[in-house]
């Protein structure tokens, strides 16, 4: 359930970004994927298109149509905010973080990492020897 305050806040954000209700094409379609008969029979998936920018969003995260509608509009606001202000969205930041983590380490970094592991190993061995005595 979405509280009226959240919906009002979202509408204010949409107005601040210049998104009008007339510019949105909103359709409710049957979902797809896992979930069996229920997902295939109910129209809880929300398709949202912002005509001026051409941004299309399809949201099927929750079982509730209203909640999916709210989430789709939130995603639309985030994308338009990203375009207007040029800031990276949380999703983009997460993608960049993963890219940095997966990036191959330089030779110096690898040597430093191995040296740190050796030091840790020596500490543990010294602790073990002092505990045995």
């Amino acid at each position: 359930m979405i509280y009226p305050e959240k919906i009002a806040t979202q509408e204010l954000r949409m107005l601040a970004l210049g998104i009008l209700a007339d510019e949105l094409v909103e359709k409710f379609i049957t979902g797809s994927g896992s979930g069996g008969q229920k997902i295939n029979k109910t129209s809880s998936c929300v398709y949202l298109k912002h005509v001026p920018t051409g941004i299309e969003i399809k949201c099927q995260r929750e079982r509730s149509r209203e909640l999916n509608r709210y989430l789709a509009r939130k995603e639309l606001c985030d994308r338009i905010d990203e375009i207007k202000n040029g800031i990276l969205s949380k999703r983009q930041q997460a993608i960049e973080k993963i890219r940095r983590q997966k990036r191959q380490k330089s030779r110096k970094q690898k040597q430093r990492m191995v040296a740190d592991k050796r030091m840790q190993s020596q500490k543990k061995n010294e602790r073990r020897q002092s505990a045995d005595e």
Side-chain angles (χ1 to χ4, degrees):
M1 184 179 141
I2 305 164
Y3 294 104
E5 298 87 29
K6 274 192 165 185
I7 294 172
T9 306
Q10 187 179 53
E11 287 173 359
L12 288 173
R13 184 175 182 209
M14 287 174 68
L15 283 174
L17 290 170
I19 304 170
L20 303 175
D22 301 341
E23 299 173 339
L24 297 177
V25 174
E26 191 170 45
K27 295 178 188 173
F28 301 104
I29 52 179
T30 55
S32 60
S34 61
Q37 276 184 333
K38 179 69 175 162
I39 196 79
N40 298 329
K41 290 197 306 192
T42 57
S43 299
S44 60
C45 182
V46 177
Y47 169 82
L48 195 64
K49 181 176 181 180
H50 187 241
V51 178
T53 58
I55 296 174
E56 295 179 352
I57 293 166
K58 190 174 174 186
C59 183
Q60 183 189 332
R61 271 190 251 166
E62 303 293 330
R63 289 176 68 177
S64 162
R65 178 190 294 185
E66 283 303 310
L67 191 52
N68 282 334
R69 186 172 185 240
Y70 173 80
L71 293 171
R73 287 174 178 241
K74 183 178 179 200
E75 178 72 23
L76 177 71
C77 288
D78 290 343
R79 286 194 192 174
I80 290 178
D81 192 23
E82 182 181 332
I83 290 168
K84 281 191 174 183
N85 298 328
I87 54 172
L88 289 176
S89 65
K90 288 182 182 178
R91 183 184 47 188
Q92 285 294 108
Q93 288 174 351
I95 290 170
E96 286 297 319
K97 183 179 179 182
I98 290 170
R99 188 175 290 138
R100 283 193 304 271
Q101 288 173 346
K102 287 186 175 182
R103 185 177 57 206
Q104 206 167 17
K105 293 176 174 48
S106 69
R107 184 175 286 160
K108 241 182 184 176
Q109 281 180 315
K110 287 179 186 176
Q111 288 173 348
R112 201 174 307 131
M113 196 169 59
V114 170
D116 288 343
K117 284 184 178 182
R118 266 198 208 106
M119 289 294 292
Q120 192 67 26
S121 172
Q122 287 174 352
K123 282 183 198 175
K124 283 188 167 190
N125 285 334
E126 289 171 6
R127 285 184 200 145
R128 196 176 299 130
Q129 288 171 357
S130 64
D132 290 341
E133 292 173 355

